[in-house]
Every structure is written in structure tokens, then in C-alpha cells.
PDB file of all heavy atoms in Angstrom:
ATOM      1  N   VAL A   1     -12.479  -3.509  -0.120  1.00 92.00           N
ATOM      2  CA  VAL A   1     -11.345  -3.772   0.869  1.00 92.00           C
ATOM      3  C   VAL A   1      -9.969  -3.417   0.163  1.00 92.00           C
ATOM      4  O   VAL A   1      -9.147  -2.587   0.642  1.00 92.00           O
ATOM      5  CB  VAL A   1     -11.378  -5.048   1.381  1.00 92.00           C
ATOM      6  CG1 VAL A   1     -10.045  -5.410   2.127  1.00 92.00           C
ATOM      7  CG2 VAL A   1     -12.492  -5.327   2.320  1.00 92.00           C
ATOM      8  N   ALA A   2      -9.838  -3.916  -1.057  1.00 92.00           N
ATOM      9  CA  ALA A   2      -8.603  -3.738  -1.789  1.00 92.00           C
ATOM     10  C   ALA A   2      -8.338  -2.269  -2.096  1.00 92.00           C
ATOM     11  O   ALA A   2      -7.240  -1.712  -1.976  1.00 92.00           O
ATOM     12  CB  ALA A   2      -8.567  -4.489  -3.094  1.00 92.00           C
ATOM     13  N   ARG A   3      -9.421  -1.563  -2.516  1.00 91.00           N
ATOM     14  CA  ARG A   3      -9.337  -0.014  -2.741  1.00 91.00           C
ATOM     15  C   ARG A   3      -8.902   0.641  -1.508  1.00 91.00           C
ATOM     16  O   ARG A   3      -8.082   1.544  -1.556  1.00 91.00           O
ATOM     17  CB  ARG A   3     -10.641   0.467  -3.240  1.00 91.00           C
ATOM     18  CG  ARG A   3     -10.858   0.501  -4.815  1.00 91.00           C
ATOM     19  CD  ARG A   3     -11.988   1.282  -5.237  1.00 91.00           C
ATOM     20  NE  ARG A   3     -13.277   0.787  -4.749  1.00 91.00           N
ATOM     21  CZ  ARG A   3     -13.848  -0.257  -5.271  1.00 91.00           C
ATOM     22  NH1 ARG A   3     -13.383  -0.831  -6.327  1.00 91.00           N
ATOM     23  NH2 ARG A   3     -15.000  -0.649  -4.800  1.00 91.00           N
ATOM     24  N   THR A   4      -9.402   0.328  -0.318  1.00 89.00           N
ATOM     25  CA  THR A   4      -9.158   0.960   0.908  1.00 89.00           C
ATOM     26  C   THR A   4      -7.689   0.645   1.264  1.00 89.00           C
ATOM     27  O   THR A   4      -6.960   1.622   1.628  1.00 89.00           O
ATOM     28  CB  THR A   4     -10.129   0.414   2.022  1.00 89.00           C
ATOM     29  OG1 THR A   4     -11.429   0.757   1.584  1.00 89.00           O
ATOM     30  CG2 THR A   4      -9.715   1.060   3.344  1.00 89.00           C
ATOM     31  N   VAL A   5      -7.216  -0.597   1.124  1.00 88.00           N
ATOM     32  CA  VAL A   5      -5.825  -0.886   1.527  1.00 88.00           C
ATOM     33  C   VAL A   5      -4.976  -0.125   0.564  1.00 88.00           C
ATOM     34  O   VAL A   5      -3.874   0.392   0.975  1.00 88.00           O
ATOM     35  CB  VAL A   5      -5.599  -2.369   1.471  1.00 88.00           C
ATOM     36  CG1 VAL A   5      -4.144  -2.710   1.551  1.00 88.00           C
ATOM     37  CG2 VAL A   5      -6.412  -3.081   2.567  1.00 88.00           C
ATOM     38  N   ARG A   6      -5.187  -0.033  -0.815  1.00 88.00           N
ATOM     39  CA  ARG A   6      -4.342   0.717  -1.705  1.00 88.00           C
ATOM     40  C   ARG A   6      -4.286   2.110  -1.304  1.00 88.00           C
ATOM     41  O   ARG A   6      -3.235   2.712  -1.424  1.00 88.00           O
ATOM     42  CB  ARG A   6      -4.927   0.512  -3.151  1.00 88.00           C
ATOM     43  CG  ARG A   6      -4.478  -0.750  -3.778  1.00 88.00           C
ATOM     44  CD  ARG A   6      -4.683  -0.829  -5.353  1.00 88.00           C
ATOM     45  NE  ARG A   6      -6.143  -0.617  -5.702  1.00 88.00           N
ATOM     46  CZ  ARG A   6      -7.022  -1.513  -5.770  1.00 88.00           C
ATOM     47  NH1 ARG A   6      -6.674  -2.815  -5.521  1.00 88.00           N
ATOM     48  NH2 ARG A   6      -8.241  -1.226  -6.113  1.00 88.00           N
ATOM     49  N   ARG A   7      -5.409   2.731  -0.925  1.00 87.00           N
ATOM     50  CA  ARG A   7      -5.402   4.130  -0.560  1.00 87.00           C
ATOM     51  C   ARG A   7      -4.542   4.299   0.671  1.00 87.00           C
ATOM     52  O   ARG A   7      -3.807   5.282   0.831  1.00 87.00           O
ATOM     53  CB  ARG A   7      -6.851   4.667  -0.325  1.00 87.00           C
ATOM     54  CG  ARG A   7      -6.920   6.151  -0.143  1.00 87.00           C
ATOM     55  CD  ARG A   7      -8.298   6.633   0.284  1.00 87.00           C
ATOM     56  NE  ARG A   7      -8.461   6.283   1.698  1.00 87.00           N
ATOM     57  CZ  ARG A   7      -9.481   5.472   2.218  1.00 87.00           C
ATOM     58  NH1 ARG A   7     -10.190   4.854   1.427  1.00 87.00           N
ATOM     59  NH2 ARG A   7      -9.519   5.244   3.485  1.00 87.00           N
ATOM     60  N   ILE A   8      -4.684   3.443   1.651  1.00 85.00           N
ATOM     61  CA  ILE A   8      -3.911   3.549   2.955  1.00 85.00           C
ATOM     62  C   ILE A   8      -2.444   3.483   2.519  1.00 85.00           C
ATOM     63  O   ILE A   8      -1.581   4.177   3.018  1.00 85.00           O
ATOM     64  CB  ILE A   8      -4.366   2.514   3.866  1.00 85.00           C
ATOM     65  CG1 ILE A   8      -5.713   2.854   4.441  1.00 85.00           C
ATOM     66  CG2 ILE A   8      -3.335   2.328   5.030  1.00 85.00           C
ATOM     67  CD1 ILE A   8      -6.374   1.706   5.151  1.00 85.00           C
ATOM     68  N   ALA A   9      -2.006   2.524   1.675  1.00 81.00           N
ATOM     69  CA  ALA A   9      -0.668   2.268   1.354  1.00 81.00           C
ATOM     70  C   ALA A   9      -0.166   3.571   0.569  1.00 81.00           C
ATOM     71  O   ALA A   9       0.986   3.925   0.726  1.00 81.00           O
ATOM     72  CB  ALA A   9      -0.547   1.018   0.454  1.00 81.00           C
ATOM     73  N   ALA A  10      -0.968   4.132  -0.313  1.00 81.00           N
ATOM     74  CA  ALA A  10      -0.573   5.246  -0.937  1.00 81.00           C
ATOM     75  C   ALA A  10      -0.285   6.438  -0.153  1.00 81.00           C
ATOM     76  O   ALA A  10       0.647   7.234  -0.163  1.00 81.00           O
ATOM     77  CB  ALA A  10      -1.575   5.660  -2.127  1.00 81.00           C
ATOM     78  N   ASP A  11      -1.279   6.589   0.902  1.00 79.00           N
ATOM     79  CA  ASP A  11      -1.105   7.650   1.856  1.00 79.00           C
ATOM     80  C   ASP A  11       0.133   7.429   2.627  1.00 79.00           C
ATOM     81  O   ASP A  11       0.849   8.461   3.009  1.00 79.00           O
ATOM     82  CB  ASP A  11      -2.291   7.731   2.700  1.00 79.00           C
ATOM     83  CG  ASP A  11      -3.574   8.255   2.037  1.00 79.00           C
ATOM     84  OD1 ASP A  11      -3.390   8.772   0.882  1.00 79.00           O
ATOM     85  OD2 ASP A  11      -4.717   8.163   2.624  1.00 79.00           O
ATOM     86  N   ALA A  12       0.325   6.274   3.115  1.00 74.00           N
ATOM     87  CA  ALA A  12       1.555   6.002   3.886  1.00 74.00           C
ATOM     88  C   ALA A  12       2.849   6.144   3.235  1.00 74.00           C
ATOM     89  O   ALA A  12       3.782   6.662   3.757  1.00 74.00           O
ATOM     90  CB  ALA A  12       1.480   4.555   4.447  1.00 74.00           C
ATOM     91  N   SER A  13       2.831   5.844   1.850  1.00 70.00           N
ATOM     92  CA  SER A  13       4.107   5.982   1.146  1.00 70.00           C
ATOM     93  C   SER A  13       4.398   7.509   0.975  1.00 70.00           C
ATOM     94  O   SER A  13       5.534   7.852   0.899  1.00 70.00           O
ATOM     95  CB  SER A  13       3.961   5.266  -0.197  1.00 70.00           C
ATOM     96  OG  SER A  13       3.066   5.936  -0.984  1.00 70.00           O
ATOM     97  N   GLY A  14       3.359   8.299   0.986  1.00 67.00           N
ATOM     98  CA  GLY A  14       3.566   9.672   0.844  1.00 67.00           C
ATOM     99  C   GLY A  14       4.133  10.327   2.087  1.00 67.00           C
ATOM    100  O   GLY A  14       4.861  11.284   2.100  1.00 67.00           O
ATOM    101  N   ALA A  15       4.035   9.525   3.160  1.00 60.00           N
ATOM    102  CA  ALA A  15       4.593   9.879   4.487  1.00 60.00           C
ATOM    103  C   ALA A  15       5.975   9.277   4.725  1.00 60.00           C
ATOM    104  O   ALA A  15       6.422   9.255   5.892  1.00 60.00           O
ATOM    105  CB  ALA A  15       3.653   9.565   5.546  1.00 60.00           C
ATOM    106  N   GLY A  16       6.518   8.679   3.756  1.00 57.00           N
ATOM    107  CA  GLY A  16       7.771   7.997   3.789  1.00 57.00           C
ATOM    108  C   GLY A  16       7.867   6.515   4.146  1.00 57.00           C
ATOM    109  O   GLY A  16       8.783   5.940   4.508  1.00 57.00           O
ATOM    110  N   ALA A  17       6.686   5.937   4.141  1.00 53.00           N
ATOM    111  CA  ALA A  17       6.557   4.491   4.498  1.00 53.00           C
ATOM    112  C   ALA A  17       6.586   3.663   3.224  1.00 53.00           C
ATOM    113  O   ALA A  17       5.706   2.894   2.896  1.00 53.00           O
ATOM    114  CB  ALA A  17       5.296   4.223   5.229  1.00 53.00           C
ATOM    115  N   VAL A  18       7.696   3.746   2.518  1.00 54.00           N
ATOM    116  CA  VAL A  18       7.833   3.096   1.212  1.00 54.00           C
ATOM    117  C   VAL A  18       7.696   1.564   1.396  1.00 54.00           C
ATOM    118  O   VAL A  18       7.227   0.822   0.511  1.00 54.00           O
ATOM    119  CB  VAL A  18       9.136   3.521   0.572  1.00 54.00           C
ATOM    120  CG1 VAL A  18       9.433   2.602  -0.743  1.00 54.00           C
ATOM    121  CG2 VAL A  18       9.107   4.955   0.296  1.00 54.00           C
ATOM    122  N   PRO A  19       8.290   0.948   2.455  1.00 56.00           N
ATOM    123  CA  PRO A  19       8.224  -0.578   2.678  1.00 56.00           C
ATOM    124  C   PRO A  19       6.670  -1.029   2.450  1.00 56.00           C
ATOM    125  O   PRO A  19       6.455  -2.073   1.976  1.00 56.00           O
ATOM    126  CB  PRO A  19       8.746  -0.800   4.023  1.00 56.00           C
ATOM    127  CG  PRO A  19       9.800   0.307   4.230  1.00 56.00           C
ATOM    128  CD  PRO A  19       9.081   1.505   3.526  1.00 56.00           C
ATOM    129  N   CYS A  20       5.769  -0.312   3.083  1.00 57.00           N
ATOM    130  CA  CYS A  20       4.360  -0.681   3.025  1.00 57.00           C
ATOM    131  C   CYS A  20       3.880  -0.704   1.563  1.00 57.00           C
ATOM    132  O   CYS A  20       3.273  -1.711   1.236  1.00 57.00           O
ATOM    133  CB  CYS A  20       3.507   0.343   3.780  1.00 57.00           C
ATOM    134  SG  CYS A  20       1.750  -0.101   3.825  1.00 57.00           S
ATOM    135  N   ARG A  21       4.267   0.199   0.747  1.00 55.00           N
ATOM    136  CA  ARG A  21       3.949   0.100  -0.657  1.00 55.00           C
ATOM    137  C   ARG A  21       4.527  -0.884  -1.414  1.00 55.00           C
ATOM    138  O   ARG A  21       3.948  -1.710  -2.148  1.00 55.00           O
ATOM    139  CB  ARG A  21       4.234   1.555  -1.309  1.00 55.00           C
ATOM    140  CG  ARG A  21       3.845   1.574  -2.742  1.00 55.00           C
ATOM    141  CD  ARG A  21       4.171   2.855  -3.337  1.00 55.00           C
ATOM    142  NE  ARG A  21       3.068   3.098  -4.401  1.00 55.00           N
ATOM    143  CZ  ARG A  21       2.609   4.063  -4.852  1.00 55.00           C
ATOM    144  NH1 ARG A  21       3.006   5.175  -4.211  1.00 55.00           N
ATOM    145  NH2 ARG A  21       1.765   4.155  -5.779  1.00 55.00           N
ATOM    146  N   ARG A  22       5.868  -1.263  -1.074  1.00 57.00           N
ATOM    147  CA  ARG A  22       6.440  -2.403  -1.719  1.00 57.00           C
ATOM    148  C   ARG A  22       5.913  -3.751  -1.326  1.00 57.00           C
ATOM    149  O   ARG A  22       5.662  -4.580  -2.196  1.00 57.00           O
ATOM    150  CB  ARG A  22       7.972  -2.512  -1.388  1.00 57.00           C
ATOM    151  CG  ARG A  22       8.802  -1.569  -2.295  1.00 57.00           C
ATOM    152  CD  ARG A  22      10.241  -1.825  -1.993  1.00 57.00           C
ATOM    153  NE  ARG A  22      10.722  -0.536  -1.370  1.00 57.00           N
ATOM    154  CZ  ARG A  22      11.580  -0.344  -0.475  1.00 57.00           C
ATOM    155  NH1 ARG A  22      12.181  -1.361   0.102  1.00 57.00           N
ATOM    156  NH2 ARG A  22      11.885   0.764  -0.086  1.00 57.00           N
ATOM    157  N   TRP A  23       5.519  -3.886  -0.125  1.00 54.00           N
ATOM    158  CA  TRP A  23       4.730  -4.974   0.430  1.00 54.00           C
ATOM    159  C   TRP A  23       3.426  -5.209  -0.368  1.00 54.00           C
ATOM    160  O   TRP A  23       3.127  -6.255  -0.910  1.00 54.00           O
ATOM    161  CB  TRP A  23       4.474  -4.880   1.852  1.00 54.00           C
ATOM    162  CG  TRP A  23       3.612  -6.055   2.411  1.00 54.00           C
ATOM    163  CD1 TRP A  23       4.147  -7.329   2.859  1.00 54.00           C
ATOM    164  CD2 TRP A  23       2.240  -6.056   2.579  1.00 54.00           C
ATOM    165  NE1 TRP A  23       3.088  -8.085   3.257  1.00 54.00           N
ATOM    166  CE2 TRP A  23       1.850  -7.339   3.123  1.00 54.00           C
ATOM    167  CE3 TRP A  23       1.225  -5.135   2.319  1.00 54.00           C
ATOM    168  CZ2 TRP A  23       0.613  -7.699   3.338  1.00 54.00           C
ATOM    169  CZ3 TRP A  23      -0.129  -5.558   2.625  1.00 54.00           C
ATOM    170  CH2 TRP A  23      -0.402  -6.803   3.111  1.00 54.00           C
ATOM    171  N   TRP A  24       2.636  -4.209  -0.509  1.00 54.00           N
ATOM    172  CA  TRP A  24       1.384  -4.206  -1.170  1.00 54.00           C
ATOM    173  C   TRP A  24       1.500  -4.534  -2.695  1.00 54.00           C
ATOM    174  O   TRP A  24       0.845  -5.316  -3.311  1.00 54.00           O
ATOM    175  CB  TRP A  24       0.552  -2.871  -1.065  1.00 54.00           C
ATOM    176  CG  TRP A  24      -0.775  -3.015  -1.740  1.00 54.00           C
ATOM    177  CD1 TRP A  24      -1.151  -2.304  -2.660  1.00 54.00           C
ATOM    178  CD2 TRP A  24      -1.890  -3.921  -1.341  1.00 54.00           C
ATOM    179  NE1 TRP A  24      -2.406  -2.639  -3.150  1.00 54.00           N
ATOM    180  CE2 TRP A  24      -2.861  -3.561  -2.350  1.00 54.00           C
ATOM    181  CE3 TRP A  24      -2.009  -4.896  -0.354  1.00 54.00           C
ATOM    182  CZ2 TRP A  24      -4.034  -4.249  -2.344  1.00 54.00           C
ATOM    183  CZ3 TRP A  24      -3.339  -5.481  -0.399  1.00 54.00           C
ATOM    184  CH2 TRP A  24      -4.304  -5.230  -1.427  1.00 54.00           C
ATOM    185  N   THR A  25       2.516  -3.930  -3.300  1.00 60.00           N
ATOM    186  CA  THR A  25       2.680  -4.099  -4.732  1.00 60.00           C
ATOM    187  C   THR A  25       3.054  -5.526  -5.039  1.00 60.00           C
ATOM    188  O   THR A  25       2.601  -6.135  -6.091  1.00 60.00           O
ATOM    189  CB  THR A  25       3.826  -3.145  -5.269  1.00 60.00           C
ATOM    190  OG1 THR A  25       3.487  -1.811  -4.910  1.00 60.00           O
ATOM    191  CG2 THR A  25       4.023  -3.233  -6.677  1.00 60.00           C
ATOM    192  N   ARG A  26       3.905  -6.116  -4.226  1.00 57.00           N
ATOM    193  CA  ARG A  26       4.238  -7.609  -4.413  1.00 57.00           C
ATOM    194  C   ARG A  26       3.088  -8.505  -4.438  1.00 57.00           C
ATOM    195  O   ARG A  26       2.812  -9.389  -5.109  1.00 57.00           O
ATOM    196  CB  ARG A  26       5.284  -8.023  -3.408  1.00 57.00           C
ATOM    197  CG  ARG A  26       6.610  -7.547  -3.695  1.00 57.00           C
ATOM    198  CD  ARG A  26       7.689  -8.281  -2.944  1.00 57.00           C
ATOM    199  NE  ARG A  26       7.300  -8.209  -1.462  1.00 57.00           N
ATOM    200  CZ  ARG A  26       7.908  -7.481  -0.549  1.00 57.00           C
ATOM    201  NH1 ARG A  26       8.907  -6.587  -0.940  1.00 57.00           N
ATOM    202  NH2 ARG A  26       7.562  -7.405   0.746  1.00 57.00           N
ATOM    203  N   ARG A  27       2.074  -8.137  -3.510  1.00 55.00           N
ATOM    204  CA  ARG A  27       1.022  -9.019  -3.250  1.00 55.00           C
ATOM    205  C   ARG A  27      -0.207  -8.783  -4.323  1.00 55.00           C
ATOM    206  O   ARG A  27      -1.115  -9.572  -4.475  1.00 55.00           O
ATOM    207  CB  ARG A  27       0.389  -8.874  -1.977  1.00 55.00           C
ATOM    208  CG  ARG A  27       1.153  -9.736  -1.016  1.00 55.00           C
ATOM    209  CD  ARG A  27       1.261  -9.150   0.434  1.00 55.00           C
ATOM    210  NE  ARG A  27       2.200 -10.009   1.276  1.00 55.00           N
ATOM    211  CZ  ARG A  27       3.456 -10.015   1.288  1.00 55.00           C
ATOM    212  NH1 ARG A  27       4.048  -9.220   0.385  1.00 55.00           N
ATOM    213  NH2 ARG A  27       4.136 -10.719   2.030  1.00 55.00           N
TER     214      ARG A  27
END
């Protein structure tokens, strides 16, 4: 599950969704 969420966050951040990556990194 964690690998999947990290992959989704990385994909989203590539599309300009940086807040998602910051949220995941903090957690």
C-alpha cells in the first residue's frame, strides 16, 4: 500500500500536484 501511494504521489507531483507530495513526505 505504501509503495502504491508513493508511486501515485510521485506521478501526481510530476503533473504539478506538489502539495500531495509534501503531504505524503511529512507523514
Side-chain angles (χ1 to χ4, degrees):
V1 168
R3 272 192 295 280
T4 300
V5 170
R6 281 193 300 271
R7 189 186 78 246
I8 291 167
D11 291 349
S13 68
V18 176
C20 179
R21 183 176 207 145
R22 273 188 247 143
W23 174 86
W24 178 250
T25 303
R26 281 194 306 261
R27 278 150 183 78

